[in-house]
């Protein structure tokens, strides 16, 4: 160690790069997080491996996988480096940083935006991105987003994620269809009614059929619309039946423009996860997390 500064400050940038690579699981994602070229990140990681005398990452199809040595090093340096980054940034911001949040368009509109409105009115800055879970999680790993509400649990150890809420799906239609709600309603009772689906492969309806009826759904949809709010509007207008998250159509259920066709205490559920990007938690991100958790408790 005699050929390096005893305080290790000369290697601080290398360890910052190492931590970004460890958290993101990708050289390219680490480069985006740090604003560096990929070649620079690779060179710095190689320099650290020469310093430690051991390999720190193993390449694989989806990026890089940390070795046991890398995991131990990350556990030791993450806290101090995060604290240093927070201290270095203290008092330098002239306005609140933008919190970049991703999620399904329906969740953002129905839950996230109303929940964040009071904080936004008092200075919180938010940039929302709607999209599919896997794409948003990739952006989270790359550092392009701060938080993602995801219907998919993130794989690997690079992202922190906790269950946020369970969506409960209900089979609904307009009263004008003339279908009598019943807890024992069978598929035969709605065979003549058009199905309204989110996608061609009927992901939500197939899950509902399997859970509620114990059979595989073989019918073709009459309407495909990749927006649950559009399906709700079509159902209200009498186009057919569909399965939707109960919280999304709470107003329509309350005013009677939609009715639950198969009331049950055992609905199909889908867990939503709140995933956070690697790195220290800012006050603004903590405010968004807290607001979202409070909002879903009332659903």
């Amino acid at each position: 160690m005699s050929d390096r500064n005893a305080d290790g400050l000369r290697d601080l940038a290398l360890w910052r790069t190492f931590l970004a690579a460890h958290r993101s699981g990708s050289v390219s994602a680490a480069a985006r997080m740090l604003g560096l070229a990929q070649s620079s990140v690779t060179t710095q990681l190689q320099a650290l491996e020469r310093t430690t005398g051991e390999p720190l990452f193993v390449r694989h199809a989806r990026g890089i996988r940390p070795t046991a040595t890398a995991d131990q090093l990350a556990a030791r340096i993450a806290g101090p480096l995060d604290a240093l980054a927070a201290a270095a940034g203290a008092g330098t911001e002239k306005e609140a940083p933008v919190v970049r949040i991703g999620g399904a368009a329906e969740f953002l509109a129905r839950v996230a935006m109303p929940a964040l409105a009071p904080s936004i009115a008092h200075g919180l800055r938010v940039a929302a991105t709607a999209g599919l879970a896997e794409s948003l999680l990739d952006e989270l790993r790359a550092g392009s987003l701060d938080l993602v509400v995801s219907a998919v649990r993130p794989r690997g150890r690079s992202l922190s994620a906790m269950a946020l809420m369970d969506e409960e799906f209900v089979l609904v239609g307009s009263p004008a269809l003339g279908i009598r709600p019943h807890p024992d309603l069978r598929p035969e009772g709605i065979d003549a009614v058009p199905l309204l689906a989110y996608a061609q492969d009927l992901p939500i309806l197939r899950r509902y059929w399997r859970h509620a009826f114990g059979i595989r759904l073989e019918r073709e949809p009459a309407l495909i619309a990749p927006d649950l709010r559009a399906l709700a509007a079509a159902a209200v207008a009498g186009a057919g039946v569909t399965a939707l998250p109960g919280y999304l159509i709470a107003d329509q259920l309350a005013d009677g423009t939609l009715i639950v066709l198969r009331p049950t205490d055992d609905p199909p559920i889908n867990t939503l996860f709140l995933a956070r990007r690697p790195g220290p938690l800012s006050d603004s991100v903590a405010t968004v997390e807290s607001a979202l958790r409070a909002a879903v408790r009332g659903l």
Side-chain angles (χ1 to χ4, degrees):
M1 298 291 288
S2 60
D3 62 335
R4 294 187 297 276
N5 293 356
D7 60 10
L9 290 178
R10 195 182 72 181
D11 293 336
L12 204 56
L14 302 186
W15 288 116
R16 181 168 171 260
T17 298
F18 161 77
L19 196 58
H22 186 274
R23 285 169 164 169
S24 66
S26 163
V27 170
S28 59
R32 287 192 294 270
M33 290 172 65
L34 299 169
L36 299 175
Q38 291 189 39
S39 58
S40 297
V41 172
T42 299
T43 299
Q44 291 186 28
L45 294 179
Q46 291 171 344
L48 275 179
E49 288 182 330
R50 289 194 296 271
T51 298
T52 60
E54 294 185 54
L56 297 176
F57 297 97
V58 177
R59 291 188 176 276
H60 64 97
R62 294 181 60 87
I64 53 176
R65 182 181 298 111
T67 63
T69 297
D71 285 339
Q72 293 170 5
L73 288 171
R76 288 168 53 192
I77 70 171
L81 281 185
D82 287 346
L84 180 60
T92 62
E93 294 175 351
K94 295 182 179 180
E95 57 184 0
V98 176
V99 180
R100 303 158 301 173
I101 179 174
E106 299 89 344
F107 180 89
L108 292 176
R110 179 67 176 85
V111 180
M113 295 303 102
L116 298 176
S119 296
I120 292 171
H122 287 86
L124 179 70
R125 302 170 67 213
V126 175
T129 299
L132 299 177
E134 291 289 5
S135 296
L136 293 173
L137 291 174
D138 285 342
E139 291 190 51
L140 192 65
R141 292 186 183 94
S144 301
L145 295 174
D146 299 302
L147 291 171
V148 167
V149 178
S150 170
V152 177
R153 182 190 289 272
R155 295 187 297 269
R157 295 170 294 180
S158 62
L159 297 179
S160 170
M162 297 182 65
L164 179 65
M165 65 173 289
D166 286 334
E167 295 179 309
E168 296 185 353
F169 288 94
V170 290
L171 188 69
V172 296
S174 166
L177 294 175
I179 302 172
R180 181 183 177 186
H182 196 282
D184 295 323
L185 177 72
R186 297 298 300 168
E188 297 79 20
I190 53 175
D191 273 349
V193 183
L195 294 182
L196 316 177
Y198 182 79
Q200 182 63 51
D201 61 349
L202 288 72
I204 299 174
L205 286 170
R206 286 190 188 281
R207 173 181 292 188
Y208 189 93
W209 251 246
R210 185 171 59 250
H211 180 92
F213 302 132
I215 61 173
R216 178 180 175 83
L217 176 59
E218 301 291 352
R219 292 178 54 189
E220 293 292 325
L223 170 68
I224 298 172
D227 188 311
L228 299 181
R229 295 163 298 182
L231 295 183
V236 168
V241 301
T242 190
L244 295 169
Y247 75 88
L248 187 66
I249 52 172
D251 293 341
Q252 293 91 328
L253 294 176
D255 64 22
T257 53
L258 285 178
I259 56 174
V260 177
L261 302 178
R262 193 176 191 273
T264 177
D265 293 330
D266 180 31
I269 64 171
N270 182 56
T271 301
L272 297 182
F273 298 91
L274 183 59
R276 183 195 304 163
R277 72 171 176 83
L281 178 65
S282 71
D283 290 343
S284 296
V285 172
T287 296
V288 172
E289 279 197 1
S290 178
L292 292 179
R293 294 188 183 282
V296 300
R297 283 197 293 269
L299 298 178

